[in-house]
Amino acid sequence: MIEADTVWDCVIAGGGPAGLSAALMLGRCRRRVLVCDTGQGRNRWSRGVHGVLTRDGIAPAELLRLAREDVARYDTVSLRSLEVVEATRQRNGFALVCGDGTRLRARRLLLATGVADELPSIPGLMDLYGTSVHHCPFCDGYQWRDRPVAVWGRGEHGAGLAAGLTVWTSDLVLCTDGPAGLTARWQRRLALLGIEVRPARISQLEGAEGRLARIVFEDGTALAREAMFFSSGQRQASGLAARLGCRFTPAGAVDTGKCEATDVPGLYVCGDASREAQFVVVAMAEGAEAGMAISRSLFEESLDALESGGRDRPAVPAAG
């Protein structure tokens, strides 16, 4: 139960690796924090998280379970199954509204809401997504080293993904699912790398138990493959940053400055929503950095108020 008159030091929208890492840091700084999350993380379909020291290959759900256990040890941090859907900047912080109607007030707001991948609309893809169909070669390429792999994509992005995958395998076919849109330079590059380009429209992906077996084309042909990587873009998973007036980069990420601060006072963004390097380990680091910066800004605000005689020295925060 959340008391209506509670003013949180920080509300964190998003309880993935970035948000929980920030909560851990803020808990250690004895800040009163509320983490709002719906459990719909970007990597929830994946079988394993890679590139995290001591946890390489751990299931995403298990990683989050362990992270929540760590955060739960701090009695000033609360975790709730809530989605922040509206946020308004006020003189002393933010007024927030959750999807169930819950209203919150916070001195600082941290968005760790991430991005959502725009998945190709191919029959059979969702049955394989996260097991043998992936979007990030740095996360999953090693699992398919020296194996037959397909790439779905067009133009420079599709060609670039196919070329990049030669780090892990030389058995590659670029399936453009229609006109390839390749420049002469990329056609030459792919030919030099020995990557076949198939422009035929894809009818469906076939496989069993999450394992891709073959790609079936509308012309009746089929291509045996064990995995597929795709390049189809992404979007912000939440519209809060845009509605609060944040500045964005040309690539569509929230433009953050020092320690994940945005150009909106009191608003911070960490994790995939603000970075090109979208890895769990990077999100954790950014969350810790944001937590440190938020606690420091709260302290400086309290010190300024103390100097101006606006209020007494702030007490140690009570448990949430």
Side-chain angles (χ1 to χ4, degrees):
M1 185 70 176
I2 299 174
E3 297 179 6
D5 59 349
T6 299
V7 179
W8 301 92
D9 286 327
C10 183
V11 167
I12 300 174
L20 290 173
S21 181
L24 179 64
M25 179 62 73
L26 285 164
R28 292 187 57 77
C29 294
R30 308 184 75 185
R31 299 298 181 182
R32 179 178 284 188
V33 178
L34 176 64
V35 180
C36 300
D37 185 62
T38 60
Q40 299 299 302
R42 179 188 186 189
N43 68 352
R44 63 189 182 276
W45 285 285
S46 177
R47 293 291 181 92
V49 174
H50 300 285
V52 180
L53 285 172
T54 79
R55 292 292 183 268
D56 189 45
I58 190 172
E62 178 64 6
L63 179 66
L64 291 179
R65 184 189 70 79
L66 292 171
R68 292 187 192 107
E69 282 187 358
D70 285 346
V71 171
R73 297 190 182 103
Y74 296 87
D75 59 6
T76 60
V77 181
S78 298
L79 290 82
R80 296 289 186 273
S81 180
L82 293 169
E83 181 184 11
V84 179
V85 295
E86 293 294 340
T88 304
R89 178 80 175 90
Q90 299 183 328
R91 184 173 64 87
N92 294 320
F94 296 86
L96 310 173
V97 180
C98 298
D100 67 350
T102 298
R103 294 182 177 273
L104 306 168
R105 289 185 295 159
R107 296 169 67 191
R108 300 291 185 272
L109 176 60
L110 173 61
L111 301 182
T113 45
V115 297
D117 294 294
E118 297 173 349
L119 304 181
S121 181
I122 303 173
L125 183 144
M126 286 308 300
D127 294 333
L128 309 169
Y129 186 44
T131 302
S132 58
V133 174
H134 315 278
H135 64 268
C136 175
F138 292 98
C139 299
D140 298 290
Y142 184 80
Q143 274 56 50
W144 302 103
R145 60 196 182 278
D146 303 321
R147 311 283 281 278
V149 172
V151 175
W152 185 96
R154 300 179 182 127
E156 181 178 351
H157 292 293
L161 176 58
L165 276 160
T166 58
V167 170
W168 293 277
T169 182
S170 60
D171 192 350
L172 289 158
V173 177
L174 173 60
C175 301
T176 61
D177 201 14
L182 297 175
T183 63
R185 185 187 186 196
W186 270 113
Q187 291 178 38
R188 183 172 63 254
R189 284 181 166 186
L190 294 177
L192 288 170
L193 291 168
I195 299 174
E196 178 189 352
V197 179
R198 287 206 181 186
R201 293 283 184 182
I202 296 175
S203 173
Q204 63 181 350
L205 304 183
E206 293 183 348
E209 298 181 352
R211 298 287 184 175
L212 175 65
R214 64 179 196 156
I215 301 168
V216 180
F217 299 94
E218 290 184 355
D219 62 10
T221 62
L223 173 67
R225 297 282 97 176
E226 294 186 22
M228 173 186 278
F229 287 80
F230 62 85
S231 172
S232 57
Q234 58 184 222
R235 57 178 173 76
Q236 291 283 320
S238 168
L240 289 172
R243 292 198 293 274
L244 284 165
C246 284
R247 183 172 58 241
F248 285 78
T249 69
V254 180
D255 190 358
T256 54
K258 183 179 179 181
C259 295
E260 322 315 323
T262 71
D263 55 333
V264 178
L267 178 65
Y268 297 75
V269 178
C270 65
D272 290 357
S274 63
R275 285 292 181 270
E276 181 178 350
Q278 297 175 344
F279 306 130
V280 167
V281 69
V282 173
M284 288 178 172
E286 289 180 359
E289 188 176 51
M292 175 200 68
I294 289 167
S295 184
R296 181 177 290 169
S297 76
L298 289 167
F299 173 76
E300 290 172 351
E301 180 180 85
S302 298
L303 190 60
D304 288 343
L306 186 65
E307 284 185 324
S308 67
R311 60 181 175 180
D312 296 331
R313 183 183 300 276
V316 173

